[in-house]
Short mmCIF file of all heavy atoms in Angstrom, two decimals:
data_model
loop_
_atom_site.label_atom_id
_atom_site.label_comp_id
_atom_site.label_asym_id
_atom_site.label_seq_id
_atom_site.Cartn_x
_atom_site.Cartn_y
_atom_site.Cartn_z
N GLY A 266 13.45 3.10 -19.73
CA GLY A 266 14.26 2.22 -18.90
C GLY A 266 14.23 0.81 -19.47
O GLY A 266 14.45 0.64 -20.67
N GLU A 267 13.93 -0.19 -18.63
CA GLU A 267 13.88 -1.59 -19.07
C GLU A 267 12.46 -2.04 -19.28
O GLU A 267 11.58 -1.79 -18.44
CB GLU A 267 14.58 -2.50 -18.06
CG GLU A 267 14.56 -3.94 -18.43
CD GLU A 267 15.12 -4.82 -17.34
OE1 GLU A 267 15.70 -4.24 -16.36
OE2 GLU A 267 14.99 -6.08 -17.42
N VAL A 268 12.19 -2.70 -20.38
CA VAL A 268 10.86 -3.28 -20.64
C VAL A 268 10.86 -4.72 -20.12
O VAL A 268 11.70 -5.54 -20.55
CB VAL A 268 10.55 -3.25 -22.16
CG1 VAL A 268 9.21 -3.92 -22.42
CG2 VAL A 268 10.49 -1.82 -22.66
N VAL A 269 9.93 -4.99 -19.22
CA VAL A 269 9.88 -6.32 -18.61
C VAL A 269 9.24 -7.32 -19.57
O VAL A 269 8.12 -7.05 -20.05
CB VAL A 269 9.09 -6.30 -17.27
CG1 VAL A 269 9.03 -7.69 -16.64
CG2 VAL A 269 9.71 -5.30 -16.31
N PRO A 270 9.92 -8.45 -19.86
CA PRO A 270 9.31 -9.40 -20.79
C PRO A 270 7.97 -9.90 -20.32
O PRO A 270 7.72 -10.20 -19.17
CB PRO A 270 10.36 -10.58 -20.76
CG PRO A 270 11.65 -9.94 -20.36
CD PRO A 270 11.25 -8.82 -19.41
N GLY A 271 7.03 -9.97 -21.31
CA GLY A 271 5.67 -10.48 -21.00
C GLY A 271 4.75 -9.41 -20.49
O GLY A 271 3.55 -9.69 -20.34
N GLY A 272 5.23 -8.21 -20.24
CA GLY A 272 4.38 -7.15 -19.71
C GLY A 272 3.65 -6.39 -20.83
O GLY A 272 3.82 -6.66 -22.03
N ALA A 273 2.79 -5.46 -20.41
CA ALA A 273 2.00 -4.68 -21.36
C ALA A 273 2.86 -3.92 -22.36
O ALA A 273 2.59 -3.90 -23.55
CB ALA A 273 1.07 -3.73 -20.62
N ALA A 274 3.89 -3.24 -21.84
CA ALA A 274 4.79 -2.46 -22.71
C ALA A 274 5.51 -3.38 -23.68
O ALA A 274 5.69 -3.01 -24.87
CB ALA A 274 5.74 -1.65 -21.88
N HIS A 275 5.95 -4.54 -23.23
CA HIS A 275 6.62 -5.47 -24.11
C HIS A 275 5.71 -5.93 -25.27
O HIS A 275 6.13 -5.97 -26.41
CB HIS A 275 7.10 -6.67 -23.29
CG HIS A 275 7.83 -7.73 -24.08
ND1 HIS A 275 7.24 -8.90 -24.45
CD2 HIS A 275 9.08 -7.74 -24.56
CE1 HIS A 275 8.13 -9.62 -25.13
NE2 HIS A 275 9.25 -8.96 -25.24
N ARG A 276 4.47 -6.25 -24.90
CA ARG A 276 3.55 -6.71 -25.94
C ARG A 276 3.20 -5.56 -26.93
O ARG A 276 2.86 -5.86 -28.10
CB ARG A 276 2.26 -7.26 -25.29
CG ARG A 276 2.50 -8.49 -24.48
CD ARG A 276 1.18 -9.22 -24.23
NE ARG A 276 0.24 -8.39 -23.50
CZ ARG A 276 0.16 -8.30 -22.17
NH1 ARG A 276 1.01 -9.05 -21.44
NH2 ARG A 276 -0.72 -7.56 -21.57
N ALA A 277 3.28 -4.33 -26.45
CA ALA A 277 2.99 -3.18 -27.34
C ALA A 277 4.20 -2.78 -28.19
O ALA A 277 4.07 -1.88 -29.03
CB ALA A 277 2.48 -2.03 -26.53
N GLY A 278 5.34 -3.39 -27.96
CA GLY A 278 6.53 -3.08 -28.75
C GLY A 278 7.38 -1.92 -28.30
O GLY A 278 8.20 -1.46 -29.06
N LEU A 279 7.19 -1.48 -27.03
CA LEU A 279 8.06 -0.37 -26.56
C LEU A 279 9.51 -0.92 -26.43
O LEU A 279 9.73 -2.08 -26.14
CB LEU A 279 7.59 0.13 -25.21
CG LEU A 279 6.25 0.92 -25.21
CD1 LEU A 279 5.99 1.49 -23.82
CD2 LEU A 279 6.25 1.98 -26.24
N ARG A 280 10.45 0.00 -26.59
CA ARG A 280 11.86 -0.33 -26.56
C ARG A 280 12.55 0.30 -25.34
O ARG A 280 12.38 1.49 -25.09
CB ARG A 280 12.55 0.14 -27.87
CG ARG A 280 11.96 -0.48 -29.12
CD ARG A 280 12.63 0.07 -30.35
NE ARG A 280 12.03 -0.45 -31.57
CZ ARG A 280 12.40 -0.09 -32.81
NH1 ARG A 280 13.40 0.83 -32.95
NH2 ARG A 280 11.81 -0.61 -33.84
N GLY A 281 13.29 -0.52 -24.66
CA GLY A 281 14.02 -0.05 -23.45
C GLY A 281 15.52 -0.23 -23.59
O GLY A 281 16.04 -0.45 -24.69
N LEU A 282 16.18 -0.10 -22.46
CA LEU A 282 17.64 -0.26 -22.43
C LEU A 282 18.14 -1.60 -22.95
O LEU A 282 19.25 -1.69 -23.47
CB LEU A 282 18.14 -0.03 -21.01
CG LEU A 282 18.01 1.39 -20.46
CD1 LEU A 282 18.30 1.36 -18.95
CD2 LEU A 282 18.96 2.32 -21.17
N GLU A 283 17.28 -2.60 -22.83
CA GLU A 283 17.70 -3.94 -23.21
C GLU A 283 17.96 -4.07 -24.75
O GLU A 283 18.57 -4.99 -25.18
CB GLU A 283 16.66 -5.02 -22.77
CG GLU A 283 15.35 -4.99 -23.52
CD GLU A 283 14.43 -3.86 -23.09
OE1 GLU A 283 14.68 -3.22 -22.04
OE2 GLU A 283 13.42 -3.66 -23.79
N THR A 284 17.46 -3.10 -25.52
CA THR A 284 17.67 -3.15 -26.97
C THR A 284 19.10 -2.68 -27.35
O THR A 284 19.52 -2.92 -28.47
CB THR A 284 16.67 -2.22 -27.70
OG1 THR A 284 16.91 -0.86 -27.29
CG2 THR A 284 15.24 -2.64 -27.34
N GLY A 285 19.80 -2.08 -26.37
CA GLY A 285 21.15 -1.62 -26.66
C GLY A 285 21.25 -0.24 -27.25
O GLY A 285 22.35 0.33 -27.39
N GLY A 286 20.14 0.35 -27.58
CA GLY A 286 20.10 1.72 -28.10
C GLY A 286 19.48 2.70 -27.14
O GLY A 286 19.40 2.42 -25.92
N VAL A 287 19.08 3.84 -27.62
CA VAL A 287 18.41 4.84 -26.76
C VAL A 287 17.00 4.37 -26.52
O VAL A 287 16.24 4.10 -27.46
CB VAL A 287 18.41 6.23 -27.43
CG1 VAL A 287 17.66 7.21 -26.57
CG2 VAL A 287 19.83 6.72 -27.65
N PRO A 288 16.53 4.27 -25.25
CA PRO A 288 15.17 3.84 -24.99
C PRO A 288 14.13 4.79 -25.52
O PRO A 288 14.40 5.99 -25.77
CB PRO A 288 15.15 3.78 -23.45
CG PRO A 288 16.57 3.79 -23.04
CD PRO A 288 17.31 4.54 -24.04
N ASP A 289 12.91 4.29 -25.69
CA ASP A 289 11.80 5.16 -26.03
C ASP A 289 11.53 6.13 -24.91
O ASP A 289 11.89 5.90 -23.74
CB ASP A 289 10.52 4.30 -26.22
CG ASP A 289 10.53 3.48 -27.52
OD1 ASP A 289 11.34 3.80 -28.42
OD2 ASP A 289 9.79 2.52 -27.60
N VAL A 290 10.88 7.26 -25.28
CA VAL A 290 10.50 8.25 -24.31
C VAL A 290 9.00 8.48 -24.37
O VAL A 290 8.46 8.76 -25.46
CB VAL A 290 11.22 9.62 -24.57
CG1 VAL A 290 10.76 10.67 -23.55
CG2 VAL A 290 12.73 9.45 -24.51
N ILE A 291 8.28 8.21 -23.25
CA ILE A 291 6.85 8.42 -23.21
C ILE A 291 6.54 9.88 -22.95
O ILE A 291 6.97 10.43 -21.95
CB ILE A 291 6.21 7.54 -22.11
CG1 ILE A 291 6.50 6.08 -22.40
CG2 ILE A 291 4.67 7.79 -22.05
CD1 ILE A 291 6.04 5.11 -21.29
#
Side-chain angles (χ1 to χ4, degrees):
E267 179 186 352
V268 176
V269 181
H275 180 256
R276 294 198 301 272
L279 291 186
R280 300 178 184 178
L282 291 169
E283 72 282 348
T284 64
V287 176
D289 288 341
V290 178
I291 300 173

